[in-house]
Amino acid sequence: MRQDSDVRTPEGRALRTHSRGTGGTLVIFEAGLGGGGASWGPVLDALPEGVHGLAYDRAGYGESTPAPGARDLGALVTDLLAVVDAVEHERLILVGHSWGGPIVRGAAARLRDVGRPAAGVVLVDPGEELADLYFTRIARIMIDAQGAVMPLLSRLGLLGPLQRSAARSLSAPWRGVAAASVSTPAAAQAVRAESRHVTAGLLGLRLDPPAPVGTAVSVVSGRLPEGLGRRMRDELTDAHRARAEVEGGRFVAAEQSGHVIAATEPELIVGEIARLLEA
């Protein structure tokens, strides 16, 4: 059964969490830009017994309190660590999709630096500074457009129907929650605030490459081109393979998926989590 509750950041903001299961092993899921925690529903439903799976809505999404100031990579990492600190656990695995990939890498690095390393990290079709395509003009336009169009769609009353359509592949218990969490004016503004810092965040990682996160890492890469085209998809997969090599980790190709692997092949993600738990 899904359980929804709030955790508090040190300054008192609420972050809404969606969890399944109990146990000393905590798996925290970080969504991509414009995605709420409920987008991880199929993966949460398939986690093995004895695992506490938890996804959450970032500031401004769903029932989470909007946050003041810049929503850059450092701020998003700090909020993720607030969730880590708020939930009791013995072992921790961090899972990040798309823009959530750099966020969980940053959190894992901070935990490593204070002597509290995560047991593992799973990167799911992550945003990747090793991919040149993120620094092309078209990529910048697409990221900026995502941030700019959300408030406009909200004002026009079109954001809700669009998000319900995007969530249609999720099972019924998660579909409505996922759509609602990213359909509000506050969520639209949160996406806009985050989108302003995506390219700069990736560029910072590219110019000053961080050390490996220092724990077991799996990188799952979608292989269907979808709107990218085959050349760009192959370039992104090559960057994902390179990330796995940098981290001394494992590369997994999701042959039946494009970008949203949690909806199309959740068993691949669950399998990597289980493999890390057995290591």
Side-chain angles (χ1 to χ4, degrees):
M1 179 181 297
R2 188 186 85 226
Q3 297 179 332
D4 296 347
S5 61
D6 291 340
V7 301
R8 296 282 172 176
T9 66
E11 64 272 30
R13 285 185 290 109
L15 294 173
R16 175 57 56 92
T17 70
H18 313 286
S19 64
R20 292 292 299 266
T22 60
T25 295
L26 175 65
V27 183
I28 297 182
F29 296 87
E30 184 77 49
L33 179 67
S39 64
W40 289 104
V43 180
L44 288 167
D45 284 343
L47 288 173
E49 293 290 329
V51 172
H52 181 187
L54 183 149
Y56 75 104
D57 295 330
R58 287 199 293 274
Y61 293 55
E63 299 298 321
S64 292
T65 308
R71 300 307 291 160
D72 57 15
L73 185 56
L76 301 181
V77 169
T78 296
D79 275 5
L80 171 54
L81 290 174
V83 179
V84 172
D85 289 341
V87 182
E88 186 176 349
H89 59 276
E90 298 169 6
R91 287 192 299 176
L92 174 68
I93 290 178
L94 298 173
V95 184
H97 172 242
S98 195
W99 181 227
I103 297 171
V104 302
R105 283 170 49 203
R110 289 199 204 174
L111 290 169
R112 172 203 64 207
D113 291 346
V114 296
R116 299 166 52 202
V121 169
V122 182
L123 305 173
V124 182
D125 217 51
E128 182 50 67
E129 70 269 19
L130 298 177
D132 291 339
L133 66 87
Y134 278 102
F135 306 102
T136 62
R137 183 170 179 270
I138 189 170
R140 292 172 185 263
I141 290 173
M142 290 174 64
I143 293 169
D144 290 344
Q146 182 178 0
V149 76
M150 291 277 283
L152 175 61
L153 291 173
S154 177
R155 289 194 296 272
L156 293 175
L158 299 175
L159 187 56
L162 179 66
Q163 298 292 21
R164 287 193 291 273
S165 177
R168 65 185 181 276
S169 62
L170 298 177
S171 59
W174 297 102
R175 191 182 305 134
V177 180
S181 69
V182 290
S183 296
T184 65
Q189 291 299 330
V191 174
R192 185 177 187 180
E194 290 181 12
S195 70
R196 291 170 173 161
H197 299 279
V198 171
T199 302
L202 290 172
L203 183 59
L205 295 173
R206 188 177 179 115
L207 295 177
D208 186 16
V213 298
T215 190
V217 174
S218 292
V219 184
V220 185
S221 183
R223 292 297 297 136
L224 297 183
E226 292 181 326
L228 289 176
R230 175 48 61 190
R231 183 186 64 80
M232 293 180 70
R233 170 46 72 181
D234 287 346
E235 180 183 339
L236 186 55
T237 292
D238 287 345
H240 291 159
R241 196 184 304 274
R243 171 57 52 197
E245 292 175 358
V246 166
E247 303 291 346
R250 169 180 162 90
F251 172 82
V252 179
E255 299 290 353
Q256 305 304 314
S257 298
H259 188 50
V260 189
I261 302 170
T264 50
E265 293 184 271
E267 68 279 1
L268 282 184
I269 302 170
V270 173
E272 289 309 299
I273 293 170
R275 188 185 64 82
L276 293 175
L277 292 176
E278 294 168 357

